Every structure is written in structure tokens, then in C-alpha cells.
Amino acid sequence: MTEPRVEPAGASEPPVTPEADAAPGAPAAAGAPGEAAGPEAPGAARPAGTPERPAHRDANVLRWLGAYASSLVGDTIYFLALGWAAAQAGRPAEVGMIMAVGAIPRAVLMLGGGVVADRIGPRRIVIGSDAVRCVVIIGIAAALLLTGPQVWLLVVVALVFGAVDALFLPAVGALPPRITTPGQLVRVQGLKALTNRFGGIVGAPVAGLAMGLGGPAAAFAVAGGLFAVSLVLLVALKVAPLPEKPAGEKPGDAGEKSGDTGEMSGDQEEKARERSDRAPDGSGPGRTRSVWQDLTDGLGYIRRHRLIGPLVLSNLLFELGGIPLINVGIVLLSADRGWGAPGVASVVGAFSVGAAASAMLLTVRGRLARAGTVRLLALTGGSVMVAVLGTVPALGWAIAVAAPMGMLVALSGGLTAGLLQTTCDPAYLGRVTSVTSLVSLGIAPLAYPLVGLATGLWGVSPVFLGCAAVCLSAALIGVTSAEVRGAELPEPKK
């Protein structure tokens, strides 16, 4: 279970063996004209003996993290303000329709968003996404002040945000390998997970305060201001170009190495992307490819890759079993046991504390040895905790189970993302991220009604056991793959 931007989260891919394909730290190819290629550039080759800058001390990573945090808190405020404005504008059925309609373009367009991120570059996409949201949100704030909330206007806003998310999520997942070195990617995932927790904690009270002072219009205005802050930070972000492909080597070849060069932005990134758009024989510019060809090429890359394929499939199963259980199953469990709303809050809070502890571990350590094996153990342990949680009779026991469950789930998610990002061909990372994001944001929520229906038919405990079995199948896929069992994260340069 990963956490998408607004949380759960997803993954990416490596070559035949983690060491052979990614070649973390290998000397990078020459960048586009005018690029900086010094030791401060993300992914740039460093002189021997020069240590990597830790992610939490890297100004470039911190700019990205600040932009992500501002955008995340803005998302939370937007969603709560949308719900409150919908409640003022329409009947309960219309409120539900307004809150759900944004998921339609997000699910339909997500895979195409990955293609766009790989074609245009993730930096441009996240900048454009925040710019659109900033303009739309400030516009809706002004409209509410002039006319009050109207159902049609809120539906339009929700649809626009869903479409923007379909572009933003694959792009933001493709950025970390372009802003730091391979040895720091797991630490970046830990920082990102901590930021997700921060956004959930801070966003709701800020939204409540703003709506209490000035209604939904004030909350929308605050969200628009946060998107503007995020936009400024993203414009200042430096990214590394895609690596040069040697002649005769196809993009996505299992044996290709991914190195990064210096920092760049804007037109420099476009030039670097042109270098990677080669004919299949690597000899020169290839023919113009359609979006559908790029999409099927990306899906084929996932399917053929002996590490990324099993990781993505395993992640899909774990999220299908886990996300509905966390978002719906815990509510049904609390209702069945008579714990009420405080019980839901306590169990979810314990899960969040455990997840935050894993995020802190990944942030501090930056790398865990035998990552593939540790991930499989975390998947197995998390699956067992899911089964146990559905059988406990008392709230205290549920809290005691939920905390380690959150820790194991977050640990497996962080390691999955780290392994994918350190081994995936950069030219495919947007499409790989779009697949994992589609699972958590588009497919897994479709199981929410099924969990409710199954609970009504068979009871809470059998449903938890069924979800645990689905989660456990994710671990079994990894156990059968030597590449997954032996996967390693790159070591930071010391």
C-alpha cells in the first residue's frame, strides 16, 4: 500500500539484476548545452571520495519537498472546502456526486498522464498543474464571493482537478530520481511519507479555521495561496536530464545503465529529451510516435522487466487488499464491535503513528541492506496483522495491532518505491508511476462497495481474512522471483 500524493502510495522498476541495470553512481553522459555538471548537480558524477549530500540537507530536495507539502496541504483544504460548499449548494445526493465526480477524469486519464510526463518532462507538468490549480482555485473563491456556491460550478471545478491530478501524479512520482542521487532516493521517500502525514494533520484544522472565518470562499483562497507557494518553489527546482543512449541501444533495454548529468530547467530539459528520442537502432531521430504507442511501449516495458514487472504486480495486489480495508474496513470493524467514531479515530491514528515511524526510519537510515528480502518480510507481516486485526474483540487490542501494521505497510511501500525509482529507465518512469497511481487512486477505491457488501453477507472477520489473503499473495509473487528476493538499493557514496 503506497500513498498517492494525498496518500496511499506507489512504485517503479529495475533491470534484470538491480546492480547491472541501474548502475547507480556511474559517470553520467554529457548534458545539454549550458547545463551545470558540477558536484552540486543532482545525479552529477562526483570526484572520488566526495560524499553524497544527504537528502535532508540538499537545498534542491528541500525545495521539492516544500512545494510538495504546500500542494498537499492545499489539496486537503480544497477537498474540505469543496464538500462544505457542496453541502450549501445542493441536496445530499448532489454533495456525493460533486465529491466523487473528480475521480472520473483521474482514472480515465491517469495512464495518458504518464505518457505526457515522459514526453514533456515531469518538471514542466508539475509546474503547469500547480499553475492551473492556483488560477482555478482563486477564480472559484472570487466566484463564491460574488454569486455563492452553485452545483454546476463545483462540478466543473472537481472535473478540472481530477484531470490535473491525472497529469500531476505520474509527474511528481518521476521527479525524485531527477533531483537527487540514487543513494538518496529511499531517504527522499521517507521525507515524502512524513510530509504526507504532516499534510493530513495540518490541512484539516487550517481548512476549518478558514471556513469558520470566511466560509468556503476563504478556504479556497488559502488553498490557492498554497498552490502559488508550491509553484514558486517548483520554478526554482533543478532537474537532471535523461542519460545519453549509446548508439545501437534501444530505450528500455534490460542492460542499459541510467546515469544523470547536471542540473537543467526549461528549454535545456527539452533538448535533453530530444537526445533520447532515437530510432530503434539508436542512429538518429525516430519517427513520430502516437500516445497509444508510447503507452503500450511503457506497459510492455513493465511486463518484460524481470524486477519491475513482479514489483508492480505485487504492489497492485497489496493495495487492492489493503486500501479498501484501511479506508472502509476499519470503519465497519469499529461499528461491528461497538467502538463508535472514537474507535475509528484511535485505530487509524495508531496505524498512522506506525507508518510515520517507518517513514522516519527510512529518512534516517537512507538505505536498508537486502531491501528485496526486507520488503517481502514486511509484506508478509503486514498481511498477518490485517488478519489479526479483524479478529480482535477489544479496542485496546486493535490499537496494539494497528500500530505495527502501519509500520510494516509503510516500510514495504517505501522500499517498493525506492527499488522502482533506482532501477527504472528514466524515460519510462512517468508511465510506470502512472500505473501504480492508477491502482491506488482509480482501481482500489472500486473495491469499497465490495467490502461493504461482503461484510453485510459474511461479517467483518471473514472480510478481513479475505483482504489479508489478497495482501499475502503480493508477498508470494515476490518469493517466486529471484530478482525481487535479491533486489538491493544503491549505497550512498561516502
Side-chain angles (χ1 to χ4, degrees):
M1 269 164 283
T2 52
E3 293 180 339
R5 195 170 42 137
V6 202
E7 279 309 272
S12 267
E13 119 174 18
V16 178
T17 63
E19 297 86 359
D21 219 8
E35 292 170 18
E40 298 304 315
R46 287 171 164 74
T50 303
E52 288 182 353
R53 183 186 297 275
H56 61 281
R57 296 179 183 175
D58 188 328
N60 202 47
V61 172
L62 294 179
R63 277 192 292 270
W64 172 81
L65 197 65
Y68 180 78
S70 297
S71 181
L72 184 63
V73 175
D75 273 346
T76 303
I77 296 172
Y78 151 77
F79 193 75
L80 294 173
L82 181 69
W84 188 245
Q88 294 180 343
R91 297 182 297 273
E94 291 172 321
V95 174
M97 181 266 293
I98 291 170
M99 301 302 288
V101 72
I104 297 172
R106 186 170 58 218
V108 171
L109 301 175
M110 183 76 74
L111 294 179
V115 174
V116 173
D118 286 336
R119 280 191 168 194
I120 299 177
R123 179 179 177 272
R124 291 184 175 185
I125 296 300
V126 294
I127 288 174
S129 299
D130 268 347
V132 170
R133 286 187 296 184
C134 183
V135 171
V136 170
I137 281 299
I138 292 176
I140 187 66
L144 291 181
L145 286 174
L146 294 174
T147 66
Q150 300 182 44
V151 171
W152 71 267
L153 183 60
L154 298 176
V155 168
V156 170
V157 171
L159 288 172
V160 170
F161 262 70
V164 170
D165 268 349
L167 295 173
F168 179 94
L169 291 168
V172 79
L175 265 179
R178 307 280 294 276
I179 62 174
T180 189
T181 51
Q184 296 298 317
L185 281 172
V186 171
R187 184 168 275 134
V188 169
Q189 291 302 316
L191 290 168
K192 180 173 179 281
L194 287 174
T195 303
N196 281 324
R197 302 299 165 189
F198 168 81
I201 292 170
V202 172
V206 172
L209 178 62
M211 286 190 288
L213 294 175
F220 279 127
V222 172
L226 287 167
F227 290 135
V229 171
S230 176
L231 182 61
V232 170
L233 292 171
L234 288 171
V235 168
L237 192 67
K238 302 296 183 181
V239 299
L242 291 174
E244 188 88 46
K245 304 287 184 216
E249 197 173 89
K250 297 179 184 179
D253 277 353
E256 90 181 18
K257 297 181 179 181
S258 66
D260 292 320
T261 59
E263 299 178 351
M264 65 178 193
S265 61
D267 292 339
Q268 291 178 343
E269 182 177 350
E270 181 64 26
K271 292 176 182 177
R273 300 195 67 78
E274 289 173 1
R275 296 201 309 273
S276 69
D277 186 18
R278 294 169 176 262
D281 64 357
S283 60
R287 62 185 175 85
T288 302
R289 295 170 57 86
S290 69
V291 172
W292 178 252
Q293 286 174 317
D294 278 351
L295 176 57
T296 55
D297 185 32
L299 296 176
Y301 174 71
I302 294 172
R303 178 178 56 81
R304 293 188 303 269
H305 202 291
R306 284 188 275 178
L307 176 56
I308 294 176
L311 281 177
V312 170
L313 178 59
S314 174
N315 185 68
L316 183 152
L317 290 171
F318 198 64
E319 294 204 333
L320 281 178
I323 290 178
L325 186 111
I326 293 171
N327 292 335
V328 177
I330 290 176
V331 174
L332 298 175
L333 175 67
S334 184
D336 181 75
R337 300 292 194 269
W339 301 335
V344 176
S346 298
V347 176
V348 172
F351 180 91
S352 297
V353 169
S358 278
M360 183 62 71
L361 171 66
L362 294 176
T363 300
V364 173
R365 290 292 301 272
R367 179 185 185 272
L368 297 179
R370 300 183 62 82
T373 300
V374 172
R375 174 184 173 274
L376 290 175
L377 291 174
L379 286 176
T380 303
S383 302
V384 171
M385 292 293 102
V386 166
V388 172
L389 182 61
T391 63
V392 296
L395 178 58
W397 283 108
I399 294 172
V401 171
M405 186 174 86
M407 183 179 298
L408 293 169
V409 166
L411 180 61
S412 66
L415 291 175
T416 299
L419 287 169
L420 286 173
Q421 290 187 340
T422 54
T423 53
C424 185
D425 180 338
Y428 287 88
L429 191 51
R431 279 164 284 182
V432 172
T433 304
S434 72
V435 172
T436 57
S437 298
L438 177 63
V439 172
S440 57
L441 288 175
I443 298 177
L446 297 178
Y448 293 174
L450 297 179
V451 170
L453 178 63
T455 300
L457 291 174
W458 302 305
V460 172
S461 295
V463 170
F464 270 71
L465 289 173
C467 289
V470 175
C471 292
L472 188 60
S473 67
L476 294 177
I477 287 174
V479 169
T480 61
S481 168
E483 286 77 15
V484 173
R485 294 195 308 270
E488 291 282 6
L489 294 163
E491 294 191 26
K493 295 179 181 178
K494 299 180 179 179

